[in-house]
Structure formats: C-alpha cells, structure tokens
Amino acid sequence: MQPRTLSHLRALEAESIHIIREVMAEFSKPVMLYSIGKDSSVMVRLAQKAFYPARIPFPLLHVDTTYKFQEMISFRDDFVKSIGADLIVRTNTEAIEAGANPFDLGTQRCCALLKTKALLDALAEGGYDAAFGGARRDEEKSRAKERIYSFRDKFGQWDPKNQRPELWNVYNSRVEKGETIRVFPLSNWTETDVWNYIQLENIPIVPLYYAKERQMVLRHGQLIPLEHNMRLTDGEQPQMVMSRMRSLGCTYCTGAIKSEATNLTQIVTELTEFRRSERENRIIDHDTEGSMEMKKREGYF
Amino acid sequence: MIEEPKELLRFSTAGSVDDGKSTLIGRLLLETGSVYEDQLAAVAKSGINRSTGPIDLSLLTDGLRAEREQGITIDVAYRYFQTPRRKFIIADTPGHEQYTRNMATGASTADLAIVLIDARKGVLPQSKRHAFIASLLGIPHVAVAINKMDLVDFSETVFHSIEADFRAFAADLQIPLLQFFPVSALDGDNIVSKSARTPWYKGPAMLEYLETVPLDAGRNFKDLRFPVQYVVRPNLDFRGFAGQLASGILRPGDTVMALPSGRTTKVKSLPSFDGPLTEAFPPMAVTVELEDEIDISRGDMLVDPLRMPHVSRRLEAHIVWMQEAPLEAGNAYLLKHTTQTVTAHITEIRHRIDINTMAKQPATGLGLNEIGLVQIEAKRPLFYDIYRENRNTGCFILIDPETNATAGAGMITEAAWAGGGRRKQTSLQLEEGVLTPAERYKRNGHYPVTIWLTARKELAYLLERRLFDRGCQVHVLADDHETNLLPEFASVLNHAGVMAICSIASDDNSERDRAAAAIDRFVAIDPAELSTNDDHAVNMILSRLEQTGFLPSEISFDSGEGI
C-alpha cells in the first residue's frame, strides 16, 4: 500500500485551498488582491483549484500605482483573460494627477497614497468584507506573527497586540459591520516553496522574473530598471545588465538582481544559492527600522 | 529539475525567558541556511546582544517592536526552515503562564513539541506546564531539550537525573513518544550534529531526530469524516461538495452517509483541477460528487455509515480560556466545530486544572489562560469524535457573541447523552425528541425504511423474518383492519428507527402515494416484479434495499455506549 503522506507542497496547497473556501463560505463579499507577482500567481492558481470546476467566484483586484512595469500590465491582462476571472483595477488618480511620485514624496508617502489609500478606497467602494493577499510570513519579521485571518478595524488598521488566537484549521470569521479581514492563504509558504510550486504546476509568471539584458542604473547599491522616463541624478549612467527581478513592486522601488537564470529550473537552482533575503531589494521595507510593521498598522497589506 | 518531494513537519516550542528557546531556534535556522546575510547584518546592526556569543541568535526570531524593546516573545511567531528531507514549520510560543493561550494556539497544529529545560535548574513548574499543554493539545511527540549543558560540564549524571524527573512527572500525562537531548543551543552541541563533548549520549542530534521522526502518529485513516465546507455549483448539471478531509479515506464508489439527514449514497467522483482523483485522504482539500441528489449544505458531514461519529448536542471538553471575561456556567457562546457554527451553553464546570500541578480544583468559572473541564450543550447536534482519537473532529473554538473574540479552545473528552429540549418536526406533526435519526441509525445499524408491499401477507412476514435475522428492527403492518392509517403507523415506526413493512392486499395507489409523500425513506415494490417463488421474491426485495443503500450488506452493532 502506498504511504498516505502528502509532500510539503501538496500539504501547503491543501491548507491554502481550505482557507480560500472557508472565506468564500463565511464572508459575504470577498475579493482577491492580485499584484501580478509570483505569489499572486500561486494564490490565483489555488483559487482555481479550490472552486474547480466552477470559476473563481470573486473578483481579482489590482491596485495600480501607474509605476508598475509595462510587462506586468500586459501579462496581467492576458493572464486574467485566459483564466476567465473578473479583474478590477484601481488607481488613486487624484494623487497621480497631483503628481505623486516617490522622488518628491519619498517612498513612505508615495506608498501611503498610491498603494494603501488606493487599496482602502477600493475595498470600501466595493463593500468587500474580506480581501485575500499573497503575503507570506517568511518575508519580513512583522509578518511572522500575523494571523492567517488578519482583522482590520473600520479604518483598515492592524493591531498586532490584539490578534485573535488561531487554532487548528478553525477560523473565527465574525466581524462587525464595517470591519474587514485580510486573509493570507500563503502564510506558511516560503519563497522556495512558491518557486517550487510554480515549477511543479507550470504556472505562468511575468517575464521580468527571467533574466535578460535590461537597461539599469545603479542607485544606492540597488540595480534599478530604467522605465517610465525615470529621472536620472547626476553621474548615473544607464547600462545593459543581464538581470532579473526576484520580487516585483513599483519600478523605482524594486531592485533587480544580476542573474543568468532564464528558466524556472535555473531560478530554483539560483534560489538555493542566495545569501541575501528576498525583500532586500524592496526599498520600502528599509525606510526606517520596523517600517513594514508601521505600514501594516496603517492598513498596508 | 523538480525538487524531491519533502515531508512537512510542524512543531511547537515553548520556553520562558532565559531558557534559550530563541537561541535554539536561531541556531536551527542559521545552521540549515535559512538566515540570509542581510538578516544577520540587521541583527548585528541592532547593537543588542544579550548572549555571550558573537551574535545574539535570539534576535533573529524577535518580531514585533514591543518585543524587541522588552526582550520577550509575547505572541506566537511562525518560522520556517528546510533540509533536503523535510520542510519545518515552527510555532514559536512564549512560555509564561500568562501566555498559556498562545502556547495552546501554537500546539494546536503541531505534530511535535520541543520543551526546553535549563540543565542548571532542572524540571521547573514551567517545563511541566509546557508538557501538560502539549499533552492536552494531543501532540504525539515531545522532545525535551536539556539546554545549557555547557554550564554543567556536559554532565551525564545531570542529564539522566533531569530525564528521570521528567519521566516521573510525565507518566501522568498522555504523551505517546518522549525523547531527551543534551544540548547547548549557544554553542550548537547536539543540535545539528552530534557533539564530541557528550560521548556518553547515544541518541541522535536534534535535527536528525526532527528529520526522521515518524509522521503518521496521530493521523486517522480509519474513520471517514468529511465536513462539507462549500457547495460548488457552476451549472445545473454539477453539484460538488468541497471540503478538507478530517480523517478517513474517500474513493469513488464508497458508500457515505450525510449527517444530519442520515441519508446514504455513493461517491460518484472526486473531480479536481488536475483530473479526477482515485483516492483522497487527510489533509487533502477535495470536491466530492455524489451519485444521488440529496440535500447537503455547509455544516453537514459525510461519514462512513459503519463508523459513525458521535451525534449529539452535548459534550464534555477541556477548555483553554482565552479572554478576560470569564467562562461561567449558563453563559452562551458560538461554538465553531469543523464547518458548523452553533449557539452553545455551558451547562456545568466540572473542575479547573492547576496547570502547574495538574491538580483538579472546584471552580465556578475559568479566567484568562485557565484550563478546565466543562459540559456544553449545543442548540443543534454536532458530529464529533473524542479529541484523542481525532484531532480534527474533536476540537472546537468558542466565540464570544458580544465581542466576536475567540474566547476559548475546546478538546472533546467525552460524549454525553443528549437530553432535554425538543424541536418540532414538520412532517406528520410528530414531535421529535433529542435523539437524532443518526443516533438511532448508529444503534440499529440500518435505516428506518418503509417497504410498501402489495402482495400476499405471507411474503411480508417472511421478509420480516429475514430482515430480523440479519439484525434489523422491523415490524409488519398489515391492512387487515385500518388501511387508511398505514402511512401514519409506518411513520411512527420509522421515527423510532424501526423498519416498517406495509403489507397491502389491494393495489390502492392513493394510500401508497400518501405514504410515499410523507415518508423520507420509502420503497414501493411493484407486484409485477415479484417472483411467485417466496424465497426468490424476498431475495429480490433484500437486494433492492441494499442497492438503494437503505440496508447495509453487513450490520454492525453499536452497544450504545458513548454515542
């Protein structure tokens, strides 16, 4: 008789599918945050599996800061169409028209306006009472203690001192009107798990994750891709660099890594050789000590 | 190259300030290559070093600001690392008495618990507390790390004396598998590899143990329990029941019973995104398509009719109380058990357990972080097992209806007979007591079906004899006297769990149709199908009952104990 043990990826898959279904069953209007990145791609695949043969019963929401890579946007549109999901795109157009950008505002203010505010507005406007996000606990220290069901008050804020105990696979979904939850089905996945799963399942991902020659500038020790007519400061010289993205965010705030990995196998192999963490290339995490925790308290994912 | 599949092991750690828990975890993370250079650099940059080593490993696992400032771990934090063999999820919990609820939370999903003991101090009340909580939450393996061996000169005597103390105390707990390790988390002795400083120690290093400890302890493949979580209905032609298997195995063709209706059917298929499955087992999250269209919704449970769970509104459970407002007899909470949420009352507090001495004390309530044994009565029947036999169907949470807080966690210790309370059954205006059809089914081993037999009376009695000999509760109702009440009589018998054979001489269809409409499980035998040979005719009827699923091919009796 075959031993009845699931591999770690299938066990994580089962846990995530259970979470996604539980939210769908117990909340009146869920939405899934779709950031176009690798974690979102895995989360969407899990949602497809959870409701098969039905289609995903909730919309995908993309908060577009307009500073995303063009390759991300075209990938998003093709991908969403190919799986027959509903997509909602929201932008804080008011702030964009007022000229919001990370250079003049600083990354903290820029994130607060273009990401956090746009997100909170979109959630309020849609009347969503539960929003799935692809965050993982291994990403950043403050995430290690976040629950799978993360409660937000009427202002979308997180109180790390007052989290509900979460036992077994029994989730408490009771909320008052106006309160919402953020749900993290990938909480127990690591970066390695995500890549191994993408490879195992052959999940389509944005080509930016694959290495190729790209125009870059070196800024504060980070390789920043040249996009959206980025302003160059004195002495910055664009150069072609064989590189790829390890983690995707806004163009100016996501550093690339030098890499020769042009396919999934090479990416997975490269991953085992990394000596630096994934979010090191995400400029927003390092604004100040504990900056992710502060953003989360304010309502950031 | 796709990586070789790994197994997943979840373990919890509990420890108090200074017993080296964070250092132990930091060591495991560091030595399995799970800490990146920039994270190490951030720790070094923090300027804090409470350890005597070059770098304070415990800082790797301190999450929130308040904790960094106060130097304590106040909440459950989850950590991850992997080796070529396994992926590990650590639920890292604080060890102080005021964090009992956090320890219970971390322990709830763990296959294994690491309990830390300071070799200089021996078995302290806090070590006992950690072991007790591990036992209460049903963790099958407990690894006792006797830490700071470097401070007692790696003394074999010290190690064995602590082991003996711990074993003596743990004998009263239900811990199936205990293992002891002499370690120094600070220096790394016996953590990842065997230490040359403990030549007398013959066991494995901790990591080797974590990589090889068997995972099947505590997993139940015997008793099918499939709590229905969500109904997948993309179109009128497909109706699938989605859920995560709590225990047991599901295969196409298996006979399953839906609770609470007590109806049986067969599994038609297990469709999935990756193609139909031939088998599903826990913890898989699957979708089940059934042969018959029976009314099933979220909160129902598919089970093996021959291995039923307890079906009752009452239960007794250990509760870990998790909120300030105390649990008191008479209070009402929302009880969430598998996919069902019902209102439940605390009927009695049997005792409180002192978590340091494990002594049972009389109590009128349970405060925050207290543990006790209580009796609970729910508004609707729950389908449950004893926690020790089935963690997934033996656990529940209590939710405070005022604040929505998760107020308590429950581990069912014993089933209690249902009693008191009545609810109206709409059909036939029969008062249904608190015994559910499923409980009667469990006692009798078969369904209370009504068989409508338009044939000679002798055939009805012969059928009754054959059913009786197979272990069924059965009664013939013949139309000699009052034909117009047969459906009502049959219904009463069925309500009592008894099979009714309605024997009719004439083919008066109006009575038959009335019975068919009023009775849930109704089989009418067409006289034209019946052989003139009595034995053949009875065999035909029996196989018909088996095909419909109303009669199991083999009846298993339940003595009634512990329903």
Side-chain angles (χ1 to χ4, degrees):
Chain A
M1 197 181 66
Q2 280 231 324
R4 293 194 170 97
T5 311
L6 290 183
S7 73
H8 72 296
L9 291 177
R10 294 301 175 203
L12 291 171
E13 175 186 72
E15 178 183 86
S16 304
I17 288 174
H18 172 80
I19 294 162
I20 293 169
R21 286 170 172 170
E22 192 67 6
V23 170
M24 187 59 210
E26 295 214 310
F27 286 82
S28 53
K29 207 171 175 197
V31 65
M32 182 169 274
L33 273 288
Y34 174 63
S35 74
I36 321 178
K38 62 185 191 311
D39 305 293
S40 280
S41 301
V42 166
M43 188 165 61
V44 170
R45 168 61 58 90
L46 293 166
Q48 287 179 279
K49 291 195 172 198
F51 302 105
Y52 177 87
R55 24 179 248 135
I56 299 175
F58 38 73
L60 307 182
L61 169 65
H62 179 223
V63 174
D64 189 355
T65 60
T66 71
Y67 290 108
K68 299 292 174 190
F69 296 90
Q70 191 45 48
E71 278 171 87
M72 291 172 74
I73 303 301
S74 49
F75 175 87
R76 176 194 73 191
D77 295 341
D78 293 347
F79 175 70
V80 168
K81 202 169 156 197
S82 74
I83 63 165
D86 297 326
L87 174 72
I88 299 167
V89 179
R90 283 290 175 273
T91 299
N92 184 351
T93 40
E94 211 174 293
I96 293 289
E97 278 161 18
N101 69 67
F103 308 107
D104 299 329
L105 294 175
T107 55
Q108 284 209 24
R109 283 279 298 146
C110 187
C111 264
L113 280 173
L114 299 188
K115 284 176 145 179
T116 307
K117 182 161 192 314
L119 170 66
L120 293 178
D121 287 352
L123 292 179
E125 183 193 323
Y128 301 111
D129 55 353
F132 294 99
R136 310 185 320 266
R137 286 180 181 142
D138 79 326
E139 278 180 79
E140 207 273 343
K141 275 200 281 188
S142 78
R143 295 227 205 256
K145 306 206 168 182
E146 186 146 10
R147 303 291 189 260
I148 289 171
Y149 276 32
S150 179
F151 284 81
R152 303 302 166 104
D153 64 16
K154 291 189 170 65
F155 309 101
Q157 292 175 342
W158 181 54
D159 180 0
K161 285 271 181 64
N162 194 21
Q163 300 193 80
R164 292 178 184 173
E166 210 162 65
L167 296 102
W168 302 289
N169 64 352
V170 187
Y171 299 100
N172 175 354
S173 57
R174 309 277 301 180
V175 287
E176 290 299 321
K177 212 173 158 58
E179 293 171 350
T180 57
I181 63 161
R182 307 286 168 84
V183 190
F184 303 107
L186 304 186
S187 286
N188 285 324
W189 296 58
T190 60
E191 185 188 11
T192 309
D193 296 331
V194 165
W195 280 113
N196 282 328
Y197 190 74
I198 287 171
Q199 192 182 21
L200 179 71
E201 291 277 321
N202 204 14
I203 296 172
I205 48 166
V206 186
L208 285 161
Y209 285 115
Y210 298 114
K212 80 173 199 193
E213 295 275 346
R214 292 188 167 87
Q215 275 231 313
M216 297 282 165
V217 291
L218 193 65
R219 179 175 292 175
H220 307 307
Q222 303 261 8
L223 273 181
I224 305 292
L226 211 55
E227 250 194 66
H228 292 291
N229 306 317
M230 188 169 84
R231 277 183 251 164
L232 294 181
T233 53
D234 286 347
E236 279 181 341
Q237 278 296 328
Q239 50 184 312
M240 293 298 280
V241 183
M242 187 67 175
S243 58
R244 66 180 199 88
M245 296 291 159
R246 185 172 171 193
S247 161
L248 281 180
C250 292
T251 47
Y252 311 133
C253 296
T254 311
I257 54 167
K258 286 188 182 169
S259 167
E260 304 281 329
T262 53
N263 60 45
L264 282 174
T265 307
Q266 289 169 353
I267 289 176
V268 169
T269 310
E270 190 181 74
L271 201 57
T272 60
E273 293 155 7
F274 281 139
R275 298 311 315 140
R276 321 273 304 169
S277 73
E278 174 186 4
R279 293 195 73 96
E280 194 196 28
N281 306 92
R282 298 293 284 272
I283 289 154
I284 56 167
D285 297 354
H286 311 294
D287 303 342
T288 56
E289 166 76 350
S291 68
M292 176 63 93
E293 186 183 330
M294 272 160 40
K295 283 204 182 63
K296 288 170 70 66
R297 283 168 184 266
E298 288 159 10
Y300 184 72
F301 246 79
Chain B
M1 163 206 73
I2 290 188
E3 261 195 62
E4 282 296 300
K6 298 175 200 290
E7 294 171 324
L8 179 62
L9 177 78
R10 296 171 197 254
F11 67 92
S12 69
T13 54
S16 304
V17 176
D18 294 339
D19 58 15
K21 180 195 55 143
S22 295
T23 310
L24 174 74
I25 295 172
R27 172 69 60 191
L28 282 170
L29 297 180
L30 186 70
E31 302 226 3
T32 54
S34 315
V35 182
Y36 291 115
E37 284 167 6
D38 51 304
Q39 293 167 327
L40 270 180
V43 166
K45 200 177 91 184
S46 74
I48 304 170
N49 191 346
R50 301 179 303 254
S51 78
T52 52
I55 175 166
D56 189 343
L57 289 178
S58 68
L59 288 182
L60 287 171
T61 62
D62 277 356
L64 302 178
R65 269 173 170 239
E67 296 173 344
R68 284 203 293 281
E69 284 153 15
Q70 296 162 32
I72 51 161
T73 314
I74 52 169
D75 204 337
V76 188
Y78 294 88
R79 319 278 169 204
Y80 308 86
F81 68 96
Q82 59 178 339
T83 66
R85 278 169 142 160
R86 283 187 177 165
K87 168 183 166 117
F88 298 92
I89 300 180
I90 314 175
D92 179 12
T93 67
H96 276 265
E97 190 164 351
Q98 67 265 37
Y99 302 122
T100 298
R101 64 174 188 155
N102 308 82
M103 280 184 263
T105 300
S108 70
T109 49
D111 305 301
L112 183 147
I114 296 181
V115 172
L116 272 114
I117 293 180
D118 186 328
R120 295 168 304 172
K121 297 177 184 161
V123 182
L124 295 178
Q126 68 207 37
S127 331
K128 295 184 178 177
R129 200 161 62 225
H130 302 159
F132 171 59
I133 289 167
S135 140
L136 190 73
L137 272 292
I139 301 180
H141 302 273
V142 171
V144 182
I146 301 175
N147 191 24
K148 307 198 181 180
M149 287 298 291
D150 51 317
L151 301 180
V152 294
D153 298 325
F154 294 93
S155 156
E156 183 179 5
T157 320
V158 169
F159 176 75
H160 286 305
S161 118
I162 293 174
E163 174 177 351
D165 285 354
F166 195 94
R167 283 194 187 277
F169 130 84
D172 295 338
L173 302 176
Q174 288 172 291
I175 298 176
L177 302 147
L178 253 180
Q179 187 108 3
F180 295 82
F181 301 86
V183 304
S184 163
L186 197 63
D187 298 343
D189 297 83
N190 292 322
I191 305 286
V192 172
S193 51
K194 292 289 292 287
S195 168
R197 299 198 280 184
T198 52
W200 45 266
Y201 171 67
K202 302 296 174 222
M206 286 205 89
L207 188 64
E208 184 192 341
Y209 162 79
L210 292 172
E211 281 189 298
T212 53
V213 67
L215 290 176
D216 46 7
R219 299 193 180 176
N220 179 332
F221 296 116
K222 295 192 315 276
D223 309 308
L224 172 67
R225 307 284 184 260
F226 183 78
V228 174
Q229 192 182 13
Y230 183 79
V231 181
V232 178
R233 188 142 213 205
N235 55 57
L236 291 176
D237 299 328
F238 183 89
R239 195 172 155 83
F241 303 101
Q244 185 171 29
L245 254 101
S247 60
I249 291 160
L250 258 182
R251 291 185 205 88
D254 284 355
T255 298
V256 293
M257 181 199 268
L259 293 174
S261 75
R263 298 193 163 227
T264 56
T265 178
K266 285 188 161 60
V267 175
K268 184 175 169 190
S269 70
L270 299 168
S272 91
F273 186 87
D274 306 300
L277 307 177
T278 53
E279 176 179 284
F281 54 87
M284 289 168 76
V286 297
T287 298
V288 184
E289 200 184 1
L290 298 173
E291 289 283 359
D292 303 294
E293 267 213 26
I294 55 180
D295 185 24
I296 296 175
S297 52
R298 176 176 165 87
D300 291 4
M301 188 185 279
L302 299 181
V303 302
D304 176 350
L306 300 178
R307 302 184 74 93
M308 299 263 296
H310 301 290
V311 180
S312 173
R313 296 194 302 116
R314 289 186 163 186
L315 54 88
E316 197 164 275
H318 280 123
I319 301 284
V320 179
W321 199 241
M322 302 186 151
Q323 70 168 14
E324 294 283 351
L327 170 141
E328 281 166 353
N331 286 2
Y333 300 98
L334 292 167
L335 185 157
K336 186 170 180 189
H337 172 261
T338 67
T339 55
Q340 199 175 189
T341 305
V342 300
T343 300
H345 284 86
I346 307 300
T347 50
E348 193 186 334
I349 297 171
R350 303 292 300 273
H351 55 251
R352 175 172 53 221
I353 301 172
D354 181 315
I355 61 164
N356 292 313
T357 62
M358 269 130 279
K360 294 169 186 169
Q361 307 161 331
T364 54
L366 295 179
L368 178 63
N369 290 311
E370 289 188 333
I371 295 171
L373 185 68
V374 308
Q375 287 193 332
I376 293 178
E377 184 173 317
K379 281 262 165 70
R380 288 201 306 271
L382 299 167
F383 325 120
Y384 62 83
D385 296 281
I386 304 305
Y387 187 74
R388 295 238 162 254
E389 291 160 13
N390 197 326
R391 278 170 98 179
N392 292 320
T393 55
C395 72
F396 60 87
I397 60 170
L398 293 174
I399 300 167
D400 188 317
E402 301 280 313
T403 61
N404 290 335
T406 302
M411 284 73 60
I412 299 172
T413 54
E414 211 176 308
W417 276 99
R422 289 182 163 271
R423 70 185 169 91
K424 278 264 190 193
Q425 177 81 2
T426 47
S427 68
L428 294 176
Q429 303 304 308
L430 272 179
E431 284 264 317
E432 192 176 311
V434 291
L435 287 181
T436 62
E439 285 175 284
R440 295 184 199 278
Y441 175 93
K442 197 180 176 192
R443 171 69 67 81
N444 294 331
H446 62 78
Y447 288 101
V449 60
T450 292
I451 304 151
W452 198 266
L453 192 56
T454 314
R456 50 201 180 279
K457 209 177 346 179
E458 292 71 23
L459 195 59
Y461 286 115
L462 184 61
L463 178 64
E464 181 186 42
R465 164 57 61 189
R466 292 280 298 278
L467 284 167
F468 185 77
D469 288 349
R470 284 179 65 161
C472 297
Q473 298 286 340
V474 58
H475 200 290
V476 169
L477 299 166
D479 66 346
D480 293 353
H481 310 293
E482 295 287 346
T483 50
N484 58 350
L485 284 176
L486 274 186
E488 281 71 26
F489 288 151
S491 186
V492 170
L493 284 177
N494 284 176
H495 268 264
V498 179
M499 287 186 171
I501 303 170
C502 294
S503 171
I504 316 293
S506 70
D507 45 359
D508 174 1
N509 287 346
S510 68
E511 283 298 282
R512 185 197 65 197
D513 294 346
R514 204 159 66 80
I519 294 170
D520 280 352
R521 297 185 187 81
F522 184 82
V523 176
I525 305 295
D526 182 350
E529 289 177 41
L530 286 174
S531 162
T532 49
N533 176 311
D534 281 358
D535 280 333
H536 290 173
V538 167
N539 286 339
M540 189 283 280
I541 297 170
L542 289 174
S543 71
R544 174 84 183 276
L545 291 173
E546 283 173 12
Q547 282 160 12
T548 51
F550 291 139
L551 180 67
S553 49
E554 187 187 338
I555 289 187
S556 79
F557 291 98
D558 189 285
S559 62
E561 280 171 38
I563 270 197

